[in-house]
């Protein structure tokens, strides 16, 4: 009897233990969803959320707001509408001009002071970079433009470039990454060189693209995913295929997937890594991808370790 009671108690405790974080998580998702919907969409059928009118502001908060110079916020503001799309064949030149002041980053590469520090191996380390999902999607979409968010050393970008060539496609692959790795990444990648404490990831990525003779199809966009995706949207750069594989924490992934959606050409496909792996964070990532798909009324499909959302199929 006593043990029965204890069992019940511990079951109840477990449920409470699970339910509490779950309800926090759902609350968090709801907050994000509402914030996101009210901020960046004018959805066709969703009515605007009905909020009670804000309480009259107190003098102190007025004072506090008045000292913020609003022009300081300009660079943090996400413009809600992407510009009209520019023709795909013009995108490469546009990015060379806008990002690299008109000169390809592969021109005069490598400079003598870094040349001796770079690896010239045909083995590029990555995670799930050769999964069947890449070939499946490239065959299906025949992409002219691919945007990869989270490139690291370029393994999957180079793999995609080789696939598109084998299939006779003229595809440009743009790789968004700040090429800083992450704090502590050298624990696992000790052979990436450093110069005055600066990891040479960007140069090593360029070197890998050169080693695989893909300088004509792979171009870095060497900035953080948030600012780069916002700029592509502002410049009217849309992609047929968007791959999301950057920061796996909730906030980064949430922002990357939502921003990735904005630059997806209608009928394009967006996909990402780690749906069912350990990095899934016990279902949090799955729940998030499912929620974002629901917001856009699409379905999530699974291909190996990847989630895939095909915008041709409305839910
Ligand atoms: C950018 O390009 C212009 C025109 O070619 C050149 O005059 C200028 O020096 C370049 N700026 C930098 C920082 O390289
Ligand atoms: C490198 O790629 C170009 C096309 O982009 C091709 O013309 C050339 O033959 C390739 N070189 C090698 C060594 O494979």
């Amino acid at each position: 009897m006593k043990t029965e009671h204890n069992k019940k108690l511990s079951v109840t405790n477990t449920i409470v233990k699970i339910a509490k974080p779950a309800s926090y998580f759902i609350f968090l998702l709801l907050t994000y969803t509402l914030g996101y919907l009210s901020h960046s969409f004018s959805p066709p059928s969703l009515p605007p959320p009905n909020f009670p009118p804000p309480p009259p502001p107190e003098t102190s908060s007025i004072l506090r707001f008045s000292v913020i110079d609003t022009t300081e916020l300009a660079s943090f503001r996400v413009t809600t509408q992407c510009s009209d799309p520019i023709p795909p064949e013009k995108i490469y030149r546009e990015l060379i001009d806008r990002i690299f002041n008109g000169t390809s980053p592969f021109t005069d590469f490598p400079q003598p002071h870094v040349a001796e520090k770079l690896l010239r191996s045909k083995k590029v380390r990555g995670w799930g970079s050769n999964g069947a999902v890449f070939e499946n999607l490239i065959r299906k979409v025949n992409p002219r433009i691919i945007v990869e968010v989270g490139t690291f050393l370029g393994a999957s970008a180079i793999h995609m470039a080789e696939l598109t060539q084998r299939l006779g496609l003229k595809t440009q692959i743009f790789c968004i990454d700040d090429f800083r790795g992450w704090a502590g990444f050298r624990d696992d990648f000790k052979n990436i060189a450093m110069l005055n404490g600066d990891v040479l990831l960007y140069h090593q990525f360029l070197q890998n693209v050169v080693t695989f003779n893909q300088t004509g199809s792979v171009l870095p966009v060497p900035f953080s995913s948030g600012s780069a995706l916002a700029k592509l949207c502002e410049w009217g750069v849309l992609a047929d295929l968007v791959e999301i594989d950057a920061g796996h924490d909730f906030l980064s992934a949430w922002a990357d997937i939502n921003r990735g959606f904005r630059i997806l050409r209608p009928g394009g496909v967006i996909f990402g890594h780690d749906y069912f792996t350990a990095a899934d964070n016990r279902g949090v990532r799955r729940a998030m991808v499912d929620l974002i798909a629901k917001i856009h009324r699409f379905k999530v499909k699974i291909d190996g370790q990847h989630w895939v959302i095909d915008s041709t199929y409305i839910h």
Side-chain angles (χ1 to χ4, degrees):
M1 196 53 198
K2 203 170 175 215
T3 50
E4 183 75 359
H5 179 71
N6 280 347
K7 221 192 239 166
K8 266 195 194 143
L9 253 185
S10 83
V11 168
T12 321
N13 273 344
T14 319
I15 291 174
V16 170
K17 261 186 215 152
I18 296 172
K20 237 184 175 177
S23 60
Y24 280 135
F25 178 62
I26 289 166
F27 177 71
L28 188 68
L29 280 187
L30 269 177
T31 319
Y32 267 93
T33 314
L34 289 178
Y36 185 72
L37 283 177
S38 60
H39 179 67
S40 25
F41 282 129
S42 43
S45 61
L46 283 170
N50 231 342
F51 292 112
E58 288 166 26
T59 339
S60 62
S61 68
I62 293 177
L63 279 179
R64 245 182 291 130
F65 274 114
S66 68
V67 297
I68 297 176
D69 175 5
T70 48
T71 55
E72 284 173 4
L73 300 174
S75 49
F76 298 101
R77 194 166 291 139
V78 178
T79 41
T80 53
Q81 290 279 319
C82 293
S83 301
D84 290 340
I86 56 176
E89 65 276 11
K90 295 215 169 128
I91 292 178
Y92 182 83
R93 192 66 239 171
E94 185 82 5
L95 294 188
I96 293 279
D97 287 345
R98 285 194 185 261
I99 298 175
F100 299 107
N101 195 33
T103 306
S104 161
F106 295 106
T107 305
D108 299 330
F109 177 85
Q111 301 283 327
H113 71 291
V114 290
E116 72 208 35
K117 296 183 175 289
L118 302 176
L119 310 166
R120 285 171 186 76
S121 163
K122 276 265 180 184
K123 280 215 170 81
V124 178
R125 280 178 68 187
W127 299 263
S129 308
N130 294 313
V133 65
F134 295 103
E135 180 160 0
N136 294 342
L137 291 181
I138 285 169
R139 279 183 185 279
K140 188 179 155 86
V141 178
N142 286 336
R144 179 74 179 75
I145 302 293
I146 299 176
V147 168
E148 177 176 76
V149 184
T151 291
F152 195 46
L153 290 166
S156 53
I158 290 167
H159 177 60
M160 288 193 284
E162 291 183 331
L163 280 171
T164 57
Q165 273 138 34
R166 220 178 301 145
L167 294 170
L169 301 173
K170 288 221 176 322
T171 308
Q172 290 290 343
I173 303 173
F174 301 108
C175 298
I176 297 177
D177 201 302
D178 58 11
F179 296 101
R180 309 289 320 145
W182 52 93
F185 93 95
R186 287 195 82 258
D187 296 347
D188 298 319
F189 292 85
K190 291 191 170 50
N191 56 357
I192 305 291
M194 235 198 241
L195 208 55
N196 292 101
D198 182 21
V199 284
L200 296 185
L201 264 177
Y202 176 64
H203 293 86
Q204 187 59 58
F205 162 81
L206 293 180
Q207 178 59 57
N208 293 342
V209 176
V210 168
T211 301
F212 284 84
N213 191 29
Q214 292 298 348
T215 57
S217 25
V218 176
L219 189 74
V221 180
F223 298 97
S224 69
S225 55
S227 69
L229 283 168
K231 273 297 171 198
L232 293 189
C233 166
E234 194 182 314
W235 294 338
V237 173
L238 299 192
D240 309 297
L241 199 54
V242 175
E243 184 204 347
I244 305 287
D245 194 12
H248 280 31
D249 62 288
F250 176 84
L251 294 177
S252 316
W254 174 268
D256 289 346
I257 300 173
N258 277 303
R259 289 195 169 107
F261 251 109
R262 306 230 310 282
I263 62 150
L264 188 65
R265 194 176 291 283
V269 171
I270 181 167
F271 69 113
H273 197 212
D274 291 329
Y275 198 67
F276 278 127
T277 63
D280 180 41
N281 191 14
R282 297 193 203 93
V284 168
R285 199 168 166 77
R286 232 175 303 155
M288 175 177 61
V289 172
D290 292 353
L291 178 74
I292 294 174
K294 267 210 183 98
I295 294 173
H296 295 263
R297 303 212 204 97
F298 297 129
K299 262 190 182 150
V300 182
K301 288 189 201 152
I302 310 300
D303 189 329
Q305 299 175 346
H306 286 74
W307 54 269
V308 175
I309 300 176
D310 183 340
S311 72
T312 355
Y313 299 115
I314 306 278
H315 197 25

